[in-house]
Amino acid sequence: MVVGVNHGGEVVRAQDAAHAEGHDYVKGSPHLRHRKLREDIERRLTALVRDSIARTGACRVLEIGAGHGTFTDVLVAAGARVTVTEASEASAEHLRATYAGDDRVSVFHDETGEFVLDQEETWDLAVMISVIHHIPDYVAFLDRLQGLIAPGGAMFSVQDPLFYPRRSRAAHVASRGSYFAWRLGQGNYARGVATRIRRLRGVYDERAESDLVEYHVVRQGVDEEAIRTLLMEQFDVEVFTYWSTQGPVWQRLLEKTSLRSDFGIQATNHRP
Ligand SMILES: C[S@@+](CC[C@H](N)C(=O)[O-])C[C@H]1O[C@@H](n2cnc3c(N)ncnc32)[C@H](O)[C@@H]1O
């Protein structure tokens, strides 16, 4: 049963625990580790902020799940004022310390992961980077979020796994295979083996942190077409797909092929 969009808080509590103090966001994150992926995101964010400023003179951004603020810096550098939310208290604390005294950034610890959706405020741009796959009912979440976007405004999300039933067989095998090759070098094997046995049996443990944190990565991926269908009623929608994997060698080898593992969505020109 899904309560709210986050299993009644279980998933958000798992986010908080998994992204505790000292968490290394870069280690398992292809979009932070690999320059090309990171630069593509930076380029898109910068263009979205500049478009808003050209249109209205300002860009008020809501960045959900900002982690340690890698892309908050990019948004601010492009001229935005940013409200960042974090389900992880430690990460919210980190962000508060980083942006203390900077009135262009406000930080909010979102304990339920959806408190922000109940606010009256509207935004020119909502940003979610590597966040949607952490939210069980992401379609309901995005549906509520689109109501907070100002007329003409935009939503941007990136770094989520393509829906597995729709991925090509070659892309799926390459994606899972390159992940396991990388995972073998990362230690913590006991947990890795226990998780693998559960997955092979097709079982998800609703109390196991690894099954809750990477919610859709370990299930079916994220349904990019369901999101496109939702957003296209009120936005101009671009779904872009690309190759992404943790290990640098597999990234370099496969990013120029036609294999696609992940996607982003850029929804612009909001017509509420
Ligand atoms: C994979 S990290 C990405 C962090 C950052 N966006 C980046 O790309 O470096 C996902 C982050 O989203 C946060 N998160 C997950 N669900 C959330 C929600 N509903 N509201 C706010 N933050 C959330 C987690 O705590 C975690 O810090």
Side-chain angles (χ1 to χ4, degrees):
M1 184 180 65
V2 177
V3 181
V5 296
N6 275 316
H7 279 347
E10 280 304 312
V11 175
V12 168
R13 278 192 286 282
Q15 304 297 330
D16 185 41
H19 302 99
E21 202 180 330
H23 177 73
D24 181 357
Y25 277 95
V26 177
K27 188 176 161 203
S29 301
H31 67 298
L32 300 180
R33 293 189 74 183
H34 306 317
R35 203 175 65 191
K36 184 176 175 314
L37 295 183
R38 187 160 166 162
E39 285 176 354
D40 283 350
I41 297 173
E42 292 177 355
R43 192 172 37 76
R44 282 181 182 268
L45 290 177
T46 301
L48 284 165
V49 171
R50 291 196 178 146
D51 281 355
S52 170
I53 293 173
R55 217 168 20 83
T56 68
C59 186
R60 298 157 301 154
V61 177
L62 172 63
E63 185 187 8
I64 296 174
H68 282 173
T70 304
F71 297 103
T72 314
D73 285 344
V74 175
L75 294 162
V76 169
R81 298 184 78 81
V82 189
T83 294
V84 296
T85 75
E86 246 308 325
S88 149
E89 186 168 13
S91 299
E93 231 4 270
H94 180 105
L95 290 162
R96 274 196 204 102
T98 305
Y99 295 107
D102 186 340
D103 68 0
R104 297 168 300 179
V105 179
S106 328
V107 179
F108 181 71
H109 173 214
D110 193 336
E111 283 182 60
T112 66
E114 47 190 300
F115 178 80
V116 72
L117 302 175
D118 295 326
Q119 307 311 300
E120 297 288 307
E121 213 159 338
T122 58
W123 310 93
D124 301 308
L125 172 63
V127 171
M128 287 148 291
I129 300 177
S130 197
V131 170
I132 283 181
H133 61 266
H134 296 294
I135 300 175
D137 193 346
Y138 50 83
V139 174
F141 187 94
L142 294 173
D143 194 12
R144 290 176 68 194
L145 182 61
Q146 67 178 338
L148 305 184
I149 306 300
M155 288 168 70
F156 177 75
S157 169
V158 71
Q159 198 63 23
D160 292 294
L162 283 162
F163 195 46
Y164 298 161
R166 216 178 281 122
R167 263 185 185 172
S168 74
R169 176 106 190 108
H172 194 60
V173 169
S175 177
R176 300 316 289 156
S178 57
Y179 169 77
F180 291 129
W182 170 81
R183 177 69 183 80
L184 275 176
Q186 305 305 307
N188 203 355
Y189 299 119
R191 175 167 137 170
V193 169
T195 305
R196 205 57 20 229
I197 290 170
R198 281 204 312 280
R199 300 281 146 73
L200 286 171
R201 291 170 54 220
V203 173
Y204 300 106
D205 183 342
E206 299 298 325
R207 292 150 307 165
E209 195 177 287
S210 50
D211 286 4
L212 290 178
V213 174
E214 296 299 329
Y215 201 86
H216 293 285
V217 177
V218 305
R219 289 172 174 81
Q220 285 218 297
V222 173
D223 188 341
E224 68 283 0
E225 289 305 324
I227 299 176
R228 187 205 300 269
T229 303
L230 170 77
L231 297 181
M232 67 193 285
E233 287 189 16
Q234 296 189 22
F235 293 87
D236 300 335
V237 179
E238 177 198 0
V239 177
F240 53 97
T241 60
Y242 54 93
W243 172 257
S244 161
T245 193
Q246 278 79 4
V249 173
W250 292 108
Q251 181 64 28
R252 270 200 305 279
L253 273 176
L254 297 176
E255 71 186 358
K256 293 200 179 68
T257 68
S258 60
L259 295 174
R260 297 285 179 267
S261 58
D262 286 57
F263 75 98
I265 286 205
Q266 190 161 317
T268 51
N269 189 23
H270 189 211
R271 302 172 294 275

